[in-house]
Amino acid sequence: EKIKLLSEIYPFSSQVQQIILGNLKFNKIREQDDRGYVSLHSRWEADIDSVDNLPKFGLDSLKIEAFTKLIRMAKEAGAKVFIIRSPIFCKTTWNDDVEICIRQSKAQGVPFWDFSQDTLFLNHSYLFKDPGHLNHEGALIFSGIISDSIAPYLKR
């Protein structure tokens, strides 16, 4: 253990194996993607869960600062910025992250849309691959909603 502590990579030792495996040739065979989009075709069949009882970990000031800086840098580069919270297949009232998004959208003058608890998605498990990911059918619907939502801002 003392020898391991001498290495500066020790804090990252659990990641070393993942990094090596991720770079091996046999691991490069992946699903085809369309400019970063990989369609997911399975359907989530389980009932919706509630995560209201999860422990709250508090807000990470470094992540908030990084989020703020990302928005500012994107705007300075001339990008149109939108903050969007994607649908998830679980009911929750734990919204610390939503509060941060609301605060940042107001402070930096960018639109924020929260689709995490949208009943269009919450009422249709078949639109999800798993509780955190839309499948292809759900992604097409969500992309259309987002496209319609941002269109008026792009005409300005």
Side-chain angles (χ1 to χ4, degrees), residues 44 46-50 88-91 117 121-123 125:
W44 186 252
D47 290 333
I48 195 163
D49 290 326
S50 174
I88 54 173
F89 193 65
C90 65
K91 291 182 182 176
Q117 299 296 288
F121 298 97
L122 285 178
N123 294 335
S125 65

Side-chain angles (χ1 to χ4, degrees), residues 67-73 75 103-110:
F67 184 53
T68 304
K69 187 175 181 180
L70 174 69
I71 296 168
R72 188 177 62 250
M73 289 172 60
K75 287 177 67 176
R103 192 179 324 150
Q104 289 303 315
S105 82
K106 287 180 181 177
Q108 300 205 39
V110 298

Side-chain angles (χ1 to χ4, degrees), residues 4-5 10-11 13 22 57 64 71 83 105 109 125 142 146 156:
K4 287 181 183 177
L5 288 172
Y10 185 64
S13 62
F57 297 104
I64 295 169
I71 296 168
I83 302 171
S105 82
S125 65
F142 186 54
I146 296 302
R156 295 180 182 177

Side-chain angles (χ1 to χ4, degrees), residues 22-55:
N23 286 300
L24 293 176
K25 194 170 196 162
F26 73 87
N27 198 36
K28 298 287 184 192
I29 302 167
R30 297 193 173 114
E31 290 184 44
Q32 282 297 104
D33 68 87
D34 181 10
R35 291 176 282 166
Y37 172 72
V38 176
S39 59
L40 306 172
H41 292 283
S42 60
R43 289 181 164 197
W44 186 252
E45 301 293 339
D47 290 333
I48 195 163
D49 290 326
S50 174
V51 293
D52 288 340
N53 296 324
L54 286 178

Side-chain angles (χ1 to χ4, degrees), residues 115-138:
F115 291 94
S116 66
Q117 299 296 288
D118 190 304
T119 54
L120 170 65
F121 298 97
L122 285 178
N123 294 335
H124 299 98
S125 65
Y126 64 87
L127 296 175
F128 290 85
K129 179 209 181 279
D130 57 47
H133 297 92
L134 293 167
N135 61 22
H136 182 65
E137 186 177 355

